[in-house]
Amino acid sequence: MIRAKHSILLLAGASLLTATACTDPGMVSAQDPNQKTKQGALLGGVLGAGLGAIVSDDKAKGAAIGGALGAAGGAVYGNVLDKQEAELRQQLDDDRVRITNTGDRLIVTLPQDILFDVDSSTVQPGLRGDLLSVASNLRSYPDSTVQVVGHTDNTGAATYNQRLSERRANAVADVLMEGGVSRGRMQTFGRGENQPVADNLTEAGKARNRRVEIVILPNAT
């Protein structure tokens, strides 16, 4: 019974997180800079209340205590992401770089067309400064794991695109390391052409799919 309740709780929490993450990031920042803090408190409260009820003999009391603790923890968690996002936007100040705050992570998306020459995995000098700014921000928030993920469009052979995406992810991670980010914090992945965000039938869509994402995941405390 406990396992069943726990599964239901996790599904409910995941649904809530998905719903809150669907908000347009730019619109959130413009309307309410603390939106993610509030979402973190809401999600933390829901999960905390459910877990408190499961583990406590007094269901109502357990839910109340768990909800209060979960909301407090979720608010702190969301506030850190809000603060880091605002600082990243100020430090980068580059319209070509997109920053997305999903409520549980930050995603910095850099189009590969500004990062690399065609078929190259050498970071262009003009973008090194932006990557070093990201590295400086990451040093200020050391309690996180950083995933660097390379993506391509579907032009050419899939095996070649896979290897190219891996080399480009590693090249970005190397610059972050030069900026003082510990290699132990970072994970690199190449997704090749397998995770498009736009239609590969148009040049505009292909350009969106050619990207490197720096995913910042705060560590659970």
Side-chain angles (χ1 to χ4, degrees):
M1 180 65 72
I2 290 177
R3 180 176 299 175
K5 290 181 179 179
H6 186 259
S7 299
I8 293 170
L9 171 64
L10 291 178
L11 288 172
S15 299
L16 177 60
L17 179 57
T18 300
T20 59
C22 288
T23 306
D24 185 302
M27 176 122 9
V28 167
S29 297
Q31 293 180 350
D32 186 350
N34 296 315
Q35 181 69 26
K36 299 304 179 184
T37 302
K38 296 174 182 177
Q39 290 178 358
L42 177 61
L43 180 58
V46 170
L47 295 178
L51 289 174
I54 289 173
V55 301
S56 174
D57 291 334
D58 186 334
K59 304 301 183 185
K61 182 178 180 180
I65 294 173
L69 293 176
V76 171
Y77 189 86
N79 183 61
V80 170
L81 284 179
D82 288 341
K83 187 170 182 287
Q84 186 172 11
E85 176 193 7
E87 292 176 7
L88 265 174
R89 292 186 184 281
Q90 184 177 29
Q91 290 162 349
L92 289 173
D93 193 26
D94 189 333
D95 292 338
R96 301 172 299 178
V97 179
R98 188 167 70 253
I99 302 171
T100 305
N101 185 341
T102 68
D104 69 334
R105 69 194 63 194
L106 296 178
I107 305 172
V108 180
T109 303
L110 303 105
Q112 287 190 1
D113 293 354
I114 66 175
L115 272 175
F116 305 100
D117 289 328
V118 177
D119 289 335
S120 171
S121 58
T122 301
V123 176
Q124 296 200 51
L127 263 293
R128 288 180 62 84
D130 281 338
L131 289 177
L132 292 175
S133 293
V134 174
S136 175
N137 179 274
L138 291 173
R139 293 200 314 272
S140 298
Y141 293 87
D143 295 326
S144 63
T145 297
V146 181
Q147 297 179 343
V148 184
V149 189
H151 302 269
T152 70
D153 62 24
N154 67 345
T155 303
T159 53
Y160 177 82
N161 289 334
Q162 176 62 33
R163 290 194 297 268
L164 180 62
S165 68
E166 292 169 0
R167 292 198 303 271
R168 287 179 166 179
N170 284 318
V172 169
D174 287 344
V175 177
L176 296 179
M177 283 180 59
E178 291 174 22
V181 181
S182 168
R183 187 66 179 85
R185 288 178 64 187
M186 289 191 285
Q187 303 168 347
T188 58
F189 304 94
R191 301 304 188 200
E193 60 190 59
N194 294 321
Q195 295 181 350
V197 292
D199 194 336
N200 272 312
L201 296 177
T202 67
E203 289 304 314
K206 288 182 178 181
R208 286 187 60 196
N209 292 331
R210 296 189 295 266
R211 68 200 189 277
V212 172
E213 294 173 336
I214 302 172
V215 183
I216 304 167
L217 295 159
N219 297 329
T221 56

